[in-house]
Amino acid sequence: MIKAEYIWVDGGQPTHKLRSKTRVLDKGSWLERRAELPEWGFDGSSTGQATGEHSDCLLHPVFHCPDPIRGDDHLLVLCEVNGADDLPHATNTRALLREVAERFADQEPLFGIEQEYTMFQGARPLGWPDGGYPAPQGPFYCGVGADEVFGRPIVEQHLEACLAAGLTLSGINAEVMPGQWEFQVGPEDPLDVCDQLLIARWLLFRIGEDHDVSVSLDPKPVRGDWNGAGAHTNFSTRAMREEGGLAVIEAACDKLRARHELHIANYGEGIERRLTGLHETCPYTEFRWAVGHRGASIRIPLHVAKAGQGYLEDRRPCSNMDPYVVTRLMLESACG
Ligand code: ADP
Ligand code: MN
Ligand code: MN
Ligand code: MN
């Protein structure tokens, strides 16, 4: 028998969350025939996606990979949610990205997402002293040593699991606030990077369970003089990656400026708490792009400016952002 963990995005407010449940499949038929994974359903009235009288929602498998936690031939299965009418549910932002990604596929867009997150034990970030604060932030970013970084066993286990699942992770690092870390997914095409990010998030939450650690995607988990958590979204088209690409990148920055407010409104709940102008951010009320500037909305990495081609980094998206929404808006704004 194969245990297939069906994963989907719920209707949680103000931020959608991940849900999952297990379906046991007949191993012979799945492995031999490579049959399509079956569609399934769930009780939408328990996920903020339906009312009790019309509660059935449908799960359509769209991406699957080996389940590194259960091992063997077990699977993780990411699904789109449809309503009882079998049309994309209002929470199904992936369906909207599908259309837009197809429209701009000839520009060969690639995305790489830096997912920051904070580990909690009870009400406190992991490694924080009882009823107080650790030393002011400074030494923790990319730190080493039991007094500098907290949670490395979880982080290592998560990286290993993502690689075993076949996800394209390009790196991990400890972040500026103690208990905060980052992993990077991509570069991949729009749908793949988003699907992989959701699987990677699910694995992180799931592995945290075994350590009694909960993972928060709150963009400003601790008030005061502590860095927030973002999801910097790196983006390129083929023209940006080729010789002379810097001019295309700069033109894209100006196009992104024109829709700044729309992007801010869709880059994750709590963005006003995070983009204050302090802590390596540009205030959410302003837009500026610059080379190598961590206080810019869009940063062109120094090595990209030097090479004259490459990609840009949108620093505005929050850790809790919906990747299908962020990548869709970036495609529409920069490629349209
Ligand atoms: P930093 O912390 O300096 O902002 P990271 O090394 O954490 O940068 O992340 C860089 C990201 O850029 C990675 O997610 C990587 O996948 C992505 N990336 C690299 N090249 C490209 C490219 N050509 N197009 C889109 N994204 C890219
Ligand atoms: Mn990074
Ligand atoms: Mn970071
Ligand atoms: Mn970054």
Side-chain angles (χ1 to χ4, degrees):
M1 288 297 172
I2 287 179
K3 295 175 226 168
E5 191 71 11
Y6 277 54
I7 300 169
W8 73 95
V9 177
D10 76 4
Q13 289 298 340
T15 301
H16 298 165
K17 295 199 168 168
L18 294 174
R19 307 270 182 144
S20 72
K21 59 177 182 167
T22 306
R23 175 146 184 172
V24 178
L25 300 171
D26 181 60
K27 186 167 184 165
S29 65
W30 160 251
L31 281 184
E32 280 157 31
R33 294 191 286 114
R34 287 281 156 191
E36 271 192 31
L37 286 158
E39 290 168 9
W40 205 10
F42 65 96
D43 169 15
S45 71
S46 298
T47 62
Q49 284 160 304
T51 58
E53 310 89 79
H54 306 282
S55 62
D56 287 349
C57 288
L58 302 171
L59 292 173
H60 287 271
V62 290
F63 172 87
H64 68 267
C65 61
D67 180 346
I69 295 179
R70 286 175 168 151
D72 295 329
D73 293 320
H74 304 300
L75 296 172
L76 300 178
V77 182
L78 186 70
C79 300
E80 276 191 29
V81 174
N82 281 8
D85 53 5
D86 210 12
L87 293 171
H89 191 272
T91 55
N92 182 353
T93 50
R94 189 181 187 281
L96 300 175
L97 174 62
R98 257 193 286 128
E99 289 171 27
V100 172
E102 205 173 292
R103 197 184 322 148
F104 297 115
D106 58 327
Q107 299 190 33
E108 297 176 30
L110 289 177
F111 286 94
I113 299 175
E114 305 166 51
Q115 175 69 64
E116 295 180 341
Y117 59 92
T118 311
M119 292 192 252
F120 275 81
Q121 206 142 42
R124 275 180 299 121
L126 190 64
W128 286 43
D130 267 329
Y133 294 91
Q137 60 183 26
F140 308 110
Y141 170 75
C142 296
V144 61
D147 53 339
E148 306 286 12
V149 295
F150 309 97
R152 198 188 293 275
I154 300 172
V155 172
E156 287 290 328
Q157 198 181 329
H158 176 250
L159 175 60
E160 201 54 47
C162 288
L163 295 176
L167 308 185
T168 310
L169 259 69
S170 69
I172 53 174
N173 62 266
E175 268 303 336
V176 176
M177 185 181 102
Q180 212 165 63
W181 292 78
E182 166 181 316
F183 64 85
Q184 300 115 28
V185 186
E188 284 284 356
D189 65 37
L191 282 172
D192 281 335
V193 81
C194 296
D195 292 345
Q196 292 193 22
L197 178 64
L198 292 197
I199 297 281
R201 282 180 180 174
W202 186 91
L203 281 168
L204 186 57
F205 298 136
R206 172 63 190 82
I207 289 167
E209 287 178 11
D210 293 346
H211 298 264
D212 271 326
V213 162
S214 61
V215 172
S216 169
L217 297 186
D218 190 306
K220 192 77 180 185
V222 183
R223 284 182 194 194
D225 200 15
W226 302 98
N227 271 36
H232 298 166
T233 302
N234 301 271
F235 168 67
S236 64
T237 59
R238 193 182 57 188
M240 294 177 185
R241 296 188 292 271
E242 288 177 349
E243 209 182 318
L246 190 57
V248 184
I249 292 172
E250 290 175 357
C253 289
D254 287 330
K255 290 196 212 169
L256 285 160
R257 176 197 303 282
R259 302 215 304 171
H260 177 59
E261 280 166 23
L262 177 68
H263 284 249
I264 288 292
N266 287 282
Y267 272 9
E269 185 275 331
I271 196 163
E272 301 85 356
R273 284 184 281 134
R274 171 173 157 260
L275 298 186
T276 58
L278 301 173
H279 307 112
E280 308 179 44
T281 69
C282 180
Y284 70 95
T285 49
E286 291 169 32
F287 178 95
R288 50 175 184 262
W289 64 266
V291 173
H293 194 329
R294 284 172 206 276
S297 323
I298 308 275
R299 160 178 160 258
I300 299 175
L302 181 60
H303 67 90
V304 171
K306 278 189 171 162
Q309 63 202 82
Y311 63 95
L312 61 83
E313 176 194 48
D314 191 338
R315 299 177 59 79
R316 297 170 293 175
C318 292
S319 44
N320 59 354
M321 58 79 144
D322 177 340
Y324 301 115
V325 172
V326 169
T327 55
R328 173 168 54 86
L329 287 174
M330 287 179 73
L331 286 171
E332 286 173 345
S333 298
C335 297

